[in-house]
Amino acid sequence: MKEETDILYYMGNQNENQLNEIFHALADPTRREIIHMMAQKERTVSELAEPFDMSLAAISKHIKVLERANLVKRNITGRTHICSINAESLSRASEWLRFYEKFWSNRFDILESELLKAKNREH
Amino acid sequence: MKEETDILYYMGNQNENQLNEIFHALADPTRREIIHMMAQKERTVSELAEPFDMSLAAISKHIKVLERANLVKRNITGRTHICSINAESLSRASEWLRFYEKFWSNRFDILESELLKAKNREH
DNA sequence: ATATCATTTAACTATATGGTTGAATATGAA
DNA sequence: TTCATATTCAACCATATAGTTAAATGATAT
């Protein structure tokens, strides 16, 4: 039986796969910079490519990785593709992290209160 | 000149490298499960390896990746290595994500209030 | 119709990753 | 000392990743 605290159970497997892709997408500094650019406003592919010393094809691939992770959505109008952040995926990763941050710090709170109780019993 | 909103500037380069490693470490489901186990209590390497259908050496490598990302710290006592979460790195990644979550949703708030103003002017 | 612009696709390369097995290291116990 | 335990290290393999260049697709503009 899984415990209530088992985030893996709570989240299910599809979500697990999505986390793989989200974190993998975020692990590349070029892709994070792309997200940074999109955070301010939507951008076309060539706008996103401009600051990088890298082929358009390479950026195209990076965007695809972000898309696969659902971090970016693309709006095709004519020949230009306009990319924007999908914050839902950002928050999925964010939630995962906050869960463990909190879990771990709770552990210390509990530890601390146990120590306190023990200390009180000494007297 | 960088803007105040430029988290990359604010964070510096060392931090950037750490983010690469943190997100990369988190992109693997085995490593996330290892973190999950450690969230409850500290664990030895073999304890961490036990639930996986994988060699100890493989888990040893996974732990090393987590260590390199500063997500895990190791306490060697005799021949057993006790691993625990280092929440500081978790929160570094968490901060990064929250920054962009917030940034993006602010963007919509601003957009919305602009639309509202525009609407009011119509009357 | 043709040239140009925005972007993707395909084929290829080098390197990184995640796993394996077998040997090495180092501590603990008999 | 000898044997077992906990863990790492080294060499290897298959696959994935991040980049390249050149060609293909598809929409605009002339």
Side-chain angles (χ1 to χ4, degrees), chain A residues 44-46 56-57 60 64 74 79-81:
Chain A
T44 69
V45 173
S46 23
L56 239 176
S60 175
K64 224 160 265 198
R74 182 190 304 247
R79 61 183 164 182
T80 76
H81 298 201

Side-chain angles (χ1 to χ4, degrees), chain B residues 13 15 21 42 73 77-78 85 109 116:
Chain B
N13 236 25
N15 233 313
E21 276 161 4
E42 307 165 316
K73 75 176 201 293
T77 48
I85 286 182
D109 292 347
L116 208 65

Side-chain angles (χ1 to χ4, degrees), chain A residues 68-83:
Chain A
R68 197 178 42 170
N70 237 301
L71 284 161
V72 159
K73 75 177 202 292
R74 182 190 304 247
N75 217 303
I76 304 179
T77 48
R79 61 183 164 182
T80 76
H81 298 201
I82 298 165
C83 303

Side-chain angles (χ1 to χ4, degrees), chain B residues 44-46 56-57 60-61 64 74 79-81:
Chain B
T44 69
V45 172
S46 24
L56 238 177
S60 174
K61 278 190 187 177
K64 225 162 264 197
R74 181 190 304 247
R79 61 186 163 180
T80 77
H81 298 201

Side-chain angles (χ1 to χ4, degrees), chain B residues 75-113:
Chain B
N75 217 304
I76 304 180
T77 48
R79 61 186 163 180
T80 77
H81 298 201
I82 298 165
C83 302
S84 52
I85 286 182
N86 179 4
E88 206 196 304
S89 274
L90 277 182
S91 75
R92 201 174 309 290
S94 186
E95 264 172 46
W96 190 93
L97 285 161
R98 270 202 303 268
F99 178 89
Y100 288 107
E101 271 188 286
K102 207 177 153 210
F103 205 90
W104 188 246
S105 53
N106 269 352
R107 224 191 122 268
F108 282 118
D109 292 347
I110 290 163
L111 200 64
E112 205 174 290
S113 72

Side-chain angles (χ1 to χ4, degrees), chain A residues 105-116:
Chain A
S105 53
N106 269 352
R107 223 190 121 268
F108 282 119
D109 292 347
I110 290 164
L111 201 63
E112 206 173 289
S113 71
E114 290 303 317
L115 284 172
L116 209 65

